[in-house]
Amino acid sequence: MTDTNDVLDRIYEAAVLPQFWPDALSRVNQLSSVDGGALFVASDQVVRWTATPTFSETVAAFIDEGHMPGNARNSRALALRHAGFVTDQELFTLEELDREPLFAEFLRPRGWGWAAGTVILMPTGEVLTFHFENQFQRGPVDHRSVGLLDELRPHLARSALLSCRLQLEKLQASLSGIEMLGYPAAVLGGGGRVLAVSSGFDKLNSVVVAKAHGRFALRNASANGLVQQALEQIRSGHRSPRSIAVTGSDEHPPFIFHVIPIRRNAHDLFLGSEAFLVATPVGRPKAPPFEVLNALFDLTPGEARVTRLLTSGLSTAEIAKASKLSVETVRAYIKSVLRKSGMNRQAELVGFLSGLGGFGDPA
């Protein structure tokens, strides 16, 4: 029999190590005698989720087939404003359950169809849904199970909030290497939402404008369109960095904005960081230190050293001589760096890191 204290330990462990959420949800299943569990995190039309092994295939199909937008379960639960778990039979009449497509066409054919869920609004703007489902043949989630879930709800909410705060701290720390150079930088999430910024980002007011819901835009409409396009490509799986020029004026110097994909952990549920946005003033080339290269591309010390020398203008042979390495080893390092950065050409990498390249190739 599952012990309540053990379940609480698993819930708070997941706050620090999000990869353990499926295990925590499984423990909740066992304690409350339900068959499957899931956690959905929704923000800016982006939905991230995790689920117990028993339920993950169904949840994946639910998301992939587009059932989340307009989900009647969530909308009705939100309308109730109930600070606890509610069951399907509290949200729908039996006649509605029989004809609602979510149940009749999706859940019941897969063997599911009775659930208890709760919706939690986070201060970060994200909407959390903890969802626990019974197989259809077992019948509705009973009052005893709902009572146990209600007892766990404050702990689930606190754990999720702690995960958000820890992720924010992690994102802020990820900017420290870039900040060493004095380059303004930000971490962007779904929909271009700004999640964290370096101390110098507020100096870009002449070229960057704040938008509603924590989003940003470049004042230059053409450049802004390219940035938004780059973010859309990242969401669709295109992992190459992109450099976008913003012409100067009497008010500000020309800049290059680099949109750099963040290689997220597969279990990163909260705040969904997608990209670094780094603003580099033209005419200020500098070989980045290891901390910056590591933050951007997760390079080894050897790869970072070769990349810095490459950015300084040395040839492959000169780098080999300066580093006391063979030319073949230097080429292998460069090849690895290109793979990690998502770039195809050595010149593209050099131009990107020096802040002088990428004008003619927004892709």
Side-chain angles (χ1 to χ4, degrees), residues 82-100:
H82 176 60
F85 280 84
V86 293
T87 61
D88 285 334
Q89 58 269 34
E90 293 175 286
L91 298 176
F92 303 90
T93 66
L94 293 178
E95 292 77 15
E96 286 177 322
L97 288 172
D98 286 337
R99 67 171 182 263
E100 180 72 29

Side-chain angles (χ1 to χ4, degrees), residues 5 55 61 86 110 123 129 159 167 202 212 217 241 243 264 295 298 311 322 340 356:
N5 289 330
F55 200 39
V86 293
R110 288 173 167 79
T129 304
S159 178
Q167 183 64 7
D202 59 353
S243 301
R264 293 189 315 224
D298 193 24
T311 308
K340 288 183 177 182
L356 295 175

Side-chain angles (χ1 to χ4, degrees), residues 15-16 18 126 160-174 187 195-196 262 264-265 267-274:
V16 181
E126 294 176 304
L161 181 58
L162 179 58
S163 283
C164 285
R165 287 175 175 168
L166 290 174
Q167 183 64 7
L168 274 172
E169 291 178 8
K170 179 181 176 183
L171 295 179
Q172 197 65 56
S174 71
V187 178
L195 303 178
I262 292 176
R264 293 189 315 224
N265 186 302
H267 304 288
D268 179 10
L269 286 169
F270 302 96
L271 298 175
S273 53
E274 293 184 345

Side-chain angles (χ1 to χ4, degrees), residues 240-241 263 297 299 303 307 310 331-350:
S240 295
R263 289 168 174 79
F297 304 131
L299 304 187
E303 291 168 347
T307 303
L310 192 67
R331 286 173 177 162
Y333 276 140
I334 293 172
K335 184 177 180 180
S336 178
V337 173
L338 289 173
R339 177 179 55 79
K340 288 183 177 182
S341 67
M343 299 186 192
N344 298 314
R345 294 179 293 112
Q346 185 172 311
E348 182 184 3
L349 176 67
V350 172

Side-chain angles (χ1 to χ4, degrees), residues 12 69 72 94 118 139 166 204 208 295:
Y12 287 110
L94 293 178
T118 188
L166 290 174
L204 295 175
V208 174

Side-chain angles (χ1 to χ4, degrees), residues 86-150:
V86 293
T87 61
D88 285 334
Q89 58 269 34
E90 293 175 286
L91 298 176
F92 303 90
T93 66
L94 293 178
E95 292 77 15
E96 286 177 322
L97 288 172
D98 286 337
R99 67 171 182 263
E100 180 72 29
L102 173 65
F103 298 93
E105 300 173 14
F106 180 80
L107 288 169
R108 291 180 181 179
R110 288 173 167 79
W112 302 95
W114 296 108
T118 188
V119 180
I120 301 170
L121 303 179
M122 302 294 286
T124 56
E126 294 176 304
V127 179
L128 270 59
T129 304
F130 284 98
H131 181 90
F132 295 94
E133 186 120 5
N134 267 349
Q135 293 181 343
F136 184 70
Q137 63 185 8
R138 281 194 60 193
V141 178
D142 59 30
H143 292 298
R144 172 189 170 277
S145 296
V146 172
L148 289 168
L149 290 171
D150 279 341

Side-chain angles (χ1 to χ4, degrees), residues 208-245:
V208 174
V209 59
K211 304 285 281 188
H213 307 296
R215 296 182 179 89
F216 89 102
L218 298 182
R219 294 185 185 276
N220 183 303
S222 176
N224 184 64
L226 293 176
V227 169
Q228 301 307 323
Q229 188 180 81
L231 293 173
E232 286 296 330
Q233 288 181 337
I234 289 171
R235 290 180 207 116
S236 66
H238 184 76
R239 309 303 293 171
S240 295
R242 198 165 173 184
S243 301
I244 297 155

